[in-house]
Amino acid sequence: MTDLTRLSAAQLAEKLTSREVSAVEAVQAHLDRIGEVDRAINAFLHVNTDEALLVASEVDKERSLGDAMHPLAGVPIAVKDLIVTKGQPTTAGSKILEGWHSPYDATVVRRLRDAKMPILGKTNLDEFAMGSSTEHSAYGPTRNPWDLDRIPGGSGGGSAAAVAAFEAPLALGTDTGGSIRQPGAVTGTVGVKPTYGGVSRYGAIAMASSLDQIGPVTRTVLDSALLHEVIGGHDPHDSTSLTDPVGALVEAARNADVKGLRIGVIKELQGEGYQDGVQARFTEALDLLRQAGADVVEVSCPNFRYALGAYYLIMPSEASSNLAKYDGVRFGLRVVPDGAPTIERVMGATRAAGFGDEVKRRIILGTYALSAGYYDAYYGSAQKVRTLIQRDFDAAFTQADVLISPTAPTTAFKLGEKLDDPLAMYLNDVATIPANMAGVPGISVPGGLADGLPVGIQFLAPARQDARLYRAGAALEALLEDTWGGPLLAQAPEIGGGK
Ligand code: GLN
């Protein structure tokens, strides 16, 4: 029998619809795989065995009665532990939320449940999604399935590693500065940050509200389009939710063709600072796209060089405000110090014990940047940079339909390599942050290997034009797979050291 964990979500969905395979078999195969490899990978913080099997058995029953079902009904999925789920813990990778259960489901989770997609569990992340390596999780790092001594990217390393290690065909991530796309790049998976407002943020624990976006993590571009159509669309619970219908994404992925598509190479996001192997795979991808009839042009976005600096003012500022609610009173952990248990002392002791170093660093930075007297100089200036970045995108999109760059400057680095150097860690997001600053959508697709490790290629599109990402992404995926003779992940080494 085919190994069900090796199928794409689209392939698995076909087998479920034709009833060649049952949803219980599909879910069980993934639970078995988690049991085999997750001790080595640590992608999951919580495995939702009973409920996933229960939903699967309901799907099988309804299908046997001939009921009309969502095409992805029975296809299992993993959810980043920043997204709240009723009936399962949500930790945000932090000790401060250890043991906390949400009283409600995030809108995206509700949509998965409506589609009857069994939720396999919750995936690991950098604490409150702050990081690029998943080493800032309070529950230990996740490891990259390509090399267990290396990071799987971050903050959504758990979701990316789960999908790359065939523990789940699909996962959800969140992307504030690159946390879906950069883990995608370094694990050889596909990750999409939708247009800001295209997917509801209701129930995604807020990091930086003006930048955060939930999106798909998958092994194929088509699978991302399928999942995006499930989770996207208007939600009255999110005041920034767009009213546009989501549609035509799957169609775009199925009719991928770059003939006549104007692809703009962002001059500032390549060359110096990018690892040689990354640059080589990027250049090859451009050649393939050109040969397939794309019109490849160079565009310049001069203000992108300020994006990282401005992000590290805006993001901590918003986070310092969003994280003020973890006060030892309303959620999760409460530490009562010796002596008089005044509100300030309980709050101080709880936050000192509950937050890790990176979270504290950003709260301090954000509080400082927002304080009276400094607000205009820091936060105000960063907001102006944001406008300049938006203008760079506007100008570039008059010359090109989509933009292209490497997703991340390097392949996966070793665990511990950048942990004590926050600035080196922040530089991982140099190519992904501009999209969040402007609210435009982006996709990372596998671009091949450099020294045996995956490289990601990023496409960016104008706001609301997510379909273009699927068209260009699926076309590049097909061109590259022709040269590799199959999916990149088929070349990944088998994972040793199972349970
Ligand atoms: N790595 C970036 C940061 O640490 C992005 C995080 C994210 O997208 N959640 O802020």
Side-chain angles (χ1 to χ4, degrees):
M1 191 175 143
T2 0
D3 180 351
L4 299 178
T5 65
R6 298 274 153 171
L7 301 174
S8 70
Q11 291 165 334
L12 185 57
E14 265 176 39
K15 290 196 188 291
L16 290 167
T17 308
S18 67
R19 295 177 60 201
E20 185 188 328
V21 166
S22 75
V24 168
E25 284 167 329
V27 167
Q28 192 59 56
H30 287 91
L31 291 170
D32 291 348
R33 176 76 180 164
I34 293 169
E36 270 166 39
V37 301
D38 208 52
R39 208 176 49 148
I41 303 288
N42 195 30
F44 283 88
L45 294 179
H46 172 77
V47 182
N48 190 33
T49 309
D50 296 345
E51 193 200 271
L53 286 168
L54 184 71
V55 172
S57 66
E58 283 167 17
V59 170
D60 289 337
K61 194 166 145 216
E62 286 177 38
R63 213 165 240 142
S64 72
L65 296 172
D67 292 357
M69 306 210 63
H70 189 281
L72 292 182
V75 177
I77 182 161
V79 175
K80 186 179 185 181
D81 206 21
L82 194 70
I83 300 174
V84 303
T85 42
K86 206 173 163 178
Q88 290 179 63
T90 301
T91 66
S94 181
K95 285 278 174 225
I96 214 156
L97 283 178
E98 193 167 17
W100 180 71
H101 278 68
S102 169
Y104 71 102
D105 274 330
T107 297
V108 290
V109 170
R110 176 104 316 274
R111 290 183 179 169
L112 299 179
R113 295 200 202 278
D114 289 346
K116 294 238 174 248
M117 296 171 65
I119 298 173
L120 291 167
K122 307 294 293 287
T123 56
N124 200 9
L125 67 155
D126 286 295
E127 185 175 5
F128 285 104
M130 299 180 192
S132 303
S133 68
T134 315
E135 292 167 292
H136 293 307
S137 168
Y139 303 97
T142 297
R143 289 164 187 272
N144 191 321
W146 289 82
D147 177 346
L148 298 179
D149 292 331
R150 291 180 188 267
I151 59 102
S155 67
S159 283
V163 169
F166 303 98
E167 297 174 82
L170 301 171
L172 289 183
T174 65
D175 191 311
T176 302
S179 285
I180 291 176
R181 289 163 288 156
Q182 181 259 7
V186 301
T187 58
T189 54
V190 177
V192 179
K193 184 202 93 72
T195 296
Y196 184 78
V199 175
S200 168
R201 288 181 296 113
Y202 181 69
I205 293 179
M207 179 195 193
S209 312
S210 73
L211 302 163
D212 298 342
Q213 198 52 199
I214 295 177
V217 177
T218 64
R219 289 191 292 268
T220 71
V221 174
L222 174 62
D223 282 0
S224 275
L226 287 162
L227 181 55
H228 194 156
E229 287 196 2
V230 175
I231 59 175
H234 182 63
D235 175 21
H237 289 307
D238 174 356
S239 61
T240 58
S241 169
L242 297 172
T243 49
D244 316 21
V246 251
L249 305 178
V250 172
E251 194 187 309
R254 286 215 162 102
N255 299 310
D257 177 11
V258 287
K259 203 163 284 152
L261 189 73
R262 294 175 308 158
I263 301 181
V265 181
I266 307 170
K267 196 172 120 205
E268 289 78 7
L269 296 185
Q270 54 166 325
E272 204 193 327
Y274 288 78
Q275 198 176 302
D276 289 348
V278 171
Q279 189 64 38
R281 295 295 85 76
F282 181 59
T283 308
E284 282 165 18
L286 292 179
D287 287 343
L288 279 176
L289 290 164
R290 245 185 238 112
Q291 282 159 24
D295 183 7
V296 178
V297 297
E298 189 179 78
V299 298
S300 176
C301 296
N303 295 296
F304 280 18
R305 67 167 174 275
Y306 307 119
L308 194 78
Y311 171 87
Y312 276 99
L313 284 167
I314 293 172
M315 185 265 124
S317 296
E318 294 188 16
S320 70
S321 163
N322 278 324
L323 268 57
K325 61 179 165 286
Y326 303 103
D327 53 9
V329 177
R330 286 174 284 190
F331 308 91
L333 185 73
R334 174 179 307 167
V335 178
V336 182
D338 292 340
T342 61
I343 178 93
E344 284 83 7
R345 295 187 71 242
V346 171
M347 211 186 286
T350 302
R351 290 165 73 85
F355 288 140
D357 289 349
E358 183 62 25
V359 172
K360 286 178 184 155
R361 186 178 294 130
R362 296 201 195 191
I363 291 174
I364 292 168
L365 190 61
T367 311
Y368 180 78
L370 289 178
S371 55
Y374 294 113
Y375 183 93
D376 286 340
Y378 294 123
Y379 191 73
S381 308
Q383 290 291 21
K384 286 183 190 150
V385 168
R386 204 165 174 176
T387 305
L388 296 177
I389 290 166
Q390 273 154 2
R391 287 190 193 150
D392 277 0
F393 271 117
D394 289 346
F397 285 128
T398 62
Q399 292 169 262
D401 303 308
V402 293
L403 307 181
I404 191 168
S405 76
T407 311
T410 68
T411 54
F413 46 92
K414 288 239 161 87
L415 285 156
E417 199 178 311
K418 300 191 178 172
L419 199 51
D420 298 325
D421 186 351
L423 292 183
M425 192 70 94
Y426 298 170
L427 275 170
N428 282 287
D429 300 310
V430 67
T432 46
I433 279 174
N436 302 77
M437 297 289 268
V440 305
I443 188 172
S444 178
V445 294
L449 301 178
D451 297 326
L453 294 169
V455 170
I457 308 285
Q458 170 178 248
F459 287 103
L460 302 169
R464 299 182 150 96
Q465 303 297 335
D466 304 47
R468 287 188 202 169
L469 300 179
Y470 291 107
R471 175 179 166 198
L476 179 60
E477 173 182 61
L479 291 167
L480 285 168
E481 287 190 2
D482 279 350
T483 72
W484 304 328
L488 187 68
L489 273 162
Q491 298 176 35
E494 195 33 69
I495 298 155
K499 262 191 178 127

